[in-house]
Structures are given as structure tokens and as C-alpha cells.
Amino acid sequence: MYFSVSHAGQEVSLQFGDTPDSFRALAQWAERFGGTVTGCPTTHHDGRQAVHCEVKFTDNGVKVEAYAFISANKAAPAAT
């Protein structure tokens, strides 16, 4: 996980790793802080397909963005 903090902008950015567990973690953040996880297809620099997943919310006046680029071949299988 990587993170950055902007004191002047009152913003925190959290980048999660390229694993299916990252999506579950983003969903937990969304549930806890009232955000919604969104996903958008994208392509890595090396041409691999991926999904850019993110959740945004504000907590105590601080804007938080948590996101991950999850490779399509690492996506969790669909529930049956």
C-alpha cells in the first residue's frame, strides 16, 4: 500500500496493491465511511487489461481517495 497526504489540501490518497483482496478492502472502507466503490476498465502500461477501482469519501473534513489497479487476470472469480 502507498499513501500520500496533502496538509494544505486536507486530502489523503491510498493506493492498494494489484490483488483481489484490494477490492474487498476498498469495499470495507466504503461500507465503514459511506462511500461507493466504482470500477472503470483500463490498460496497464504493458498492455494488460485491468480495472481501476476507487472509493472516495470525506471524514472529519478530510477528503479521502482509496484506489487500486487490479489486473483482469487477478480478479476474483464470480460468485456462484
Side-chain angles (χ1 to χ4, degrees):
M1 175 197 270
Y2 300 98
F3 68 92
S4 66
V5 178
S6 169
H7 177 70
Q10 296 282 312
E11 297 176 347
V12 174
S13 182
L14 306 166
Q15 180 181 358
F16 288 78
D18 183 6
T19 70
D21 290 335
S22 291
F23 181 80
R24 287 186 278 279
L26 292 173
Q28 290 173 332
W29 279 78
E31 183 177 356
R32 167 68 176 89
F33 294 99
T36 301
V37 178
T38 59
C40 183
T42 188
T43 305
H44 286 294
H45 295 292
D46 63 5
R48 292 179 296 137
Q49 302 252 329
V51 178
H52 174 222
C53 301
E54 75 176 355
V55 60
K56 294 181 180 182
F57 57 88
T58 300
D59 187 51
N60 291 316
V62 177
K63 295 177 186 176
V64 179
E65 173 191 29
Y67 64 95
F69 291 91
I70 303 173
S71 295
N73 64 342
K74 293 185 179 182
T80 56

